[in-house]
Amino acid sequence: MIDFIDAITNRITMYRLVLYYLGALAAAAFLLGLFKLVPVDPAALLWSTVLLTAACLLVNQLFAWVFRAVPNVESVYITALILALIVDPVQPANLEGDGLLVAVAVWATASKYMLSVRRRHVFNPAAFGVALAGFAVDQPASWWVSGVVPLLPLVLVGGLLVTRKLRRFDLVIVFALVNIAATLLTSAPADYATQLEGTFLRSPFFFFAFVMLTEPLTAPQHKLWRLAYGALVGFLASPNIAIAGFYFAPETALLVGNLLTLAVSPAGRTTLTLERIEEAGKNVFDFVFRADRRLAFAAGQYLEWTIPLRHPDDRGNRRYFTIASGPSEAEVRLGVKFYPGGSAFKRRLAALRPGDTISASQLAGSFTLPARRATKIAFIAGGIGITPFRSMLVEELAASGSLRPITILYGCNSAADIAYRDVLEAARERLGIPTHYVVMDGEGAEPGMSVGVIDADTIGTHIPDYADRLFYISGPQPMVAAVRRILRGMGVPPWRIRTDFFPGLA
């Protein structure tokens, strides 16, 4: 079942999954209201959704033009749908209600441009829009979608899919535990059942946690800060918590959490100008960029790369890729494998010419080398999964410290598919780091290469001291999962296995 879910969700980006999830909730509420199964006026919901979407699109286009930014239509639709699900729907002829919806849409969209640091918005747009409505005109969000009990199964299933896609269960769980604990500790024991019923069935608890809390741009990327962020928002969002007599609505609690993110994750969006394109292997190309500011990152981390697209497909115009360059290199490298019939993102990437610009943000990732240089390490790469290891090897080649005991096992379809041979050979010659190649195409195999796939026998042959090593696995998700199962079957404990991950792969 998990494999089936992965096969479906891996085909779309995280943003597109959220968009489909929100659209399904709005459509389900409309249909249930149409048949009088829930207290939702379908005409009002339809009108409110159309009005919010139109307002968000128009304002976004205006600000994108003024700020010369890359407009991201997906995020506009997501913001509009969130607002449609948490602000009370209004009838078309209700001028006061229509005005409020337009104002909320304007405030939410404008906040992405007006309240930003290094071209990254500080606050969750939807939360800012409804919070301002609450403060300015005393019209807070009703979070009506959370009170429609028949929608709860869809809220849960879709929310779990989104959280799995992002791999943010740690954030959601910490938020939930702290929120429930704060609620119960500030209630009388006789009221526990009522409080829990209200939390799970009548409050924004699930929708807020799955949709608002997990937004990548306004949540910390580092795990410990992410947990602190979840705990802080969970505590403040508890209905019984007041500070100086002020009770936090979910949206205001989230805005406080966003300030924590700003404090601990100050890096924003980076503009990258293409310098040149280098061929790194068969259908593998390095796009070498000049950044508008120095990027401080650790070898093995990733970025979210954004390209302007007029007609994005299900993969969207934002993708996560590991940084192929090393932190000591002056230029930023993006290594990409191209396939026939590739995504709109990759087609546009392939059409870039020197001087063209793209943007990158959300620097993150814990797929990094251990601080202890004596730790014995094994890299297992599949195809383009060699990119984080290129970054690490470049840094090892530039380092003046003691040599790390590293062994590399690199699997490809054929010898021609091997990428970054220059770096791998330099690591062998100068650092004594061997690379053992495993190719599926026996006819194209070169002397010394193993033919087949990476399995237990291959690992045991080339890494005989595997029981003493810390494993790093990077490549296509099925390959990573398969190698991880093989290592576990060989007795390697899970804490000695690290897998490359960035949002959208789950």
Side-chain angles (χ1 to χ4, degrees):
M1 183 62 180
I2 296 298
D3 291 340
F4 174 75
I5 293 173
D6 286 346
I8 298 298
T9 59
N10 278 344
R11 298 181 63 86
I12 56 177
T13 64
M14 177 268 296
Y15 298 100
R16 191 59 62 96
L17 178 61
V18 173
L19 185 59
Y20 291 161
Y21 169 42
L22 297 172
L25 280 174
F30 177 83
L31 291 174
L32 290 172
L34 199 62
F35 291 100
K36 310 295 184 183
L37 298 176
V38 296
V40 176
D41 185 335
L45 176 58
L46 180 61
W47 167 250
S48 298
T49 303
V50 171
L51 182 60
L52 285 165
T53 302
C56 287
L57 283 171
L58 182 61
V59 175
N60 190 74
Q61 284 296 117
L62 176 62
F63 275 94
W65 177 75
V66 171
F67 285 85
R68 297 182 179 179
V70 178
N72 198 306
V73 178
E74 278 182 326
S75 65
V76 177
Y77 289 138
I78 289 172
T79 298
L81 284 171
I82 291 174
L83 293 175
L85 292 167
I86 66 176
V87 178
D88 280 332
V90 299
Q91 294 289 345
N94 185 339
L95 296 182
E96 182 180 349
D98 292 345
L100 175 64
L101 291 183
V102 171
V104 170
V106 171
W107 294 332
T109 306
S111 71
K112 294 194 294 183
Y113 298 91
M114 302 296 291
L115 302 175
S116 65
V117 175
R118 290 182 174 174
R119 298 183 296 277
R120 185 189 73 180
H121 58 267
V122 175
F123 298 112
N124 180 287
F128 182 85
V130 295
L132 190 55
F135 286 121
V137 294
D138 196 25
Q139 293 289 333
S142 66
W143 298 87
W144 65 265
V145 68
S146 302
V148 182
V149 176
L151 289 178
L152 184 58
L154 184 56
V155 170
L156 290 173
V157 171
L160 290 171
L161 287 177
V162 170
T163 306
R164 176 177 170 76
K165 186 81 170 177
L166 283 167
R167 292 195 184 181
R168 290 293 181 263
F169 282 110
D170 55 353
L171 170 60
V172 172
I173 290 171
V174 167
F175 163 82
L177 291 176
V178 172
N179 184 266
I180 293 170
T183 300
L184 295 181
L185 289 174
T186 52
S187 304
D191 295 331
Y192 283 176
T194 302
Q195 291 284 358
L196 291 175
E197 179 186 1
T199 296
F200 296 138
L201 298 181
R202 292 192 300 274
S203 81
F205 183 83
F206 292 112
F207 183 84
F208 176 81
F210 291 140
V211 176
M212 310 284 280
L213 185 72
T214 58
E215 192 215 1
L217 277 175
T218 54
Q221 298 298 320
H222 190 278
K223 184 172 183 177
L224 291 180
W225 282 118
R226 189 165 66 240
L227 298 181
Y229 168 77
L232 173 64
V233 177
F235 176 77
L236 295 178
S238 173
N240 302 329
I241 298 297
I243 297 179
F246 179 80
Y247 287 87
F248 290 82
E251 59 268 26
T252 52
L254 185 62
L255 297 183
V256 175
N258 294 161
L259 291 175
L260 171 65
T261 300
L262 177 64
V264 302
S265 306
R269 194 174 297 275
T270 302
T271 298
L272 302 170
T273 303
L274 183 64
E275 294 280 295
R276 62 187 183 278
I277 302 173
E278 298 178 358
E279 187 171 8
K282 181 182 177 182
N283 296 324
V284 177
F285 294 89
D286 261 11
F287 292 79
V288 185
F289 296 94
R290 180 183 70 255
D292 64 344
R293 59 185 176 84
R294 184 72 177 178
L295 274 180
F297 66 96
Q301 290 190 301
Y302 61 81
L303 282 167
E304 182 192 60
W305 311 71
T306 303
I307 293 181
L309 286 177
R310 291 184 180 273
H311 304 290
D313 55 16
D314 282 350
R315 303 287 287 170
N317 73 326
R318 295 180 284 187
R319 299 280 293 277
Y320 291 92
F321 291 103
T322 302
I323 306 170
S325 50
S328 63
E329 292 183 290
E331 297 161 321
V332 179
R333 289 177 178 262
L334 169 60
V336 179
K337 173 82 170 182
F338 289 90
Y339 300 92
S343 65
F345 181 99
K346 286 193 175 181
R347 292 196 299 272
R348 179 68 185 92
L349 182 65
L352 291 179
R353 295 295 177 263
D356 290 343
T357 61
I358 66 173
S359 62
S361 63
Q362 294 192 59
L363 174 67
S366 57
F367 193 71
T368 54
L369 290 171
R372 185 172 178 270
R373 297 188 63 84
T375 301
K376 299 175 72 174
I377 299 169
F379 293 162
I380 299 184
I384 194 60
I386 193 67
T387 50
F389 300 138
R390 182 205 181 275
S391 179
M392 296 174 184
L393 291 175
V394 165
E395 289 312 289
E396 289 305 298
L397 288 166
S400 57
S402 59
L403 300 182
R404 290 183 185 270
I406 299 174
T407 294
I408 306 171
L409 193 56
Y410 185 9
C412 288
N413 290 328
S414 69
D417 291 304
I418 296 171
Y420 304 123
R421 281 206 185 201
D422 56 337
V423 175
L424 295 172
E425 290 306 313
R428 180 194 297 272
E429 295 172 4
R430 292 167 49 188
L431 304 177
I433 297 176
T435 299
H436 306 285
Y437 299 103
V438 182
V439 297
M440 295 182 65
D441 183 2
E443 294 183 2
E446 299 173 6
M449 292 184 177
S450 301
V451 177
V453 297
I454 296 176
D455 55 19
D457 290 339
T458 309
I459 295 171
T461 298
H462 295 296
I463 314 175
D465 57 348
Y466 63 86
D468 302 325
R469 291 190 178 263
L470 176 63
F471 281 85
Y472 286 72
I473 315 171
S474 176
Q477 279 301 100
M479 169 264 176
V480 171
V483 172
R484 191 179 191 284
R485 286 194 297 269
I486 290 169
L487 290 174
R488 293 290 293 115
M490 296 173 69
V492 179
W495 57 87
R496 297 188 69 86
I497 302 173
R498 298 185 180 179
T499 58
D500 195 12
F501 162 77
F502 29 83
L505 278 180

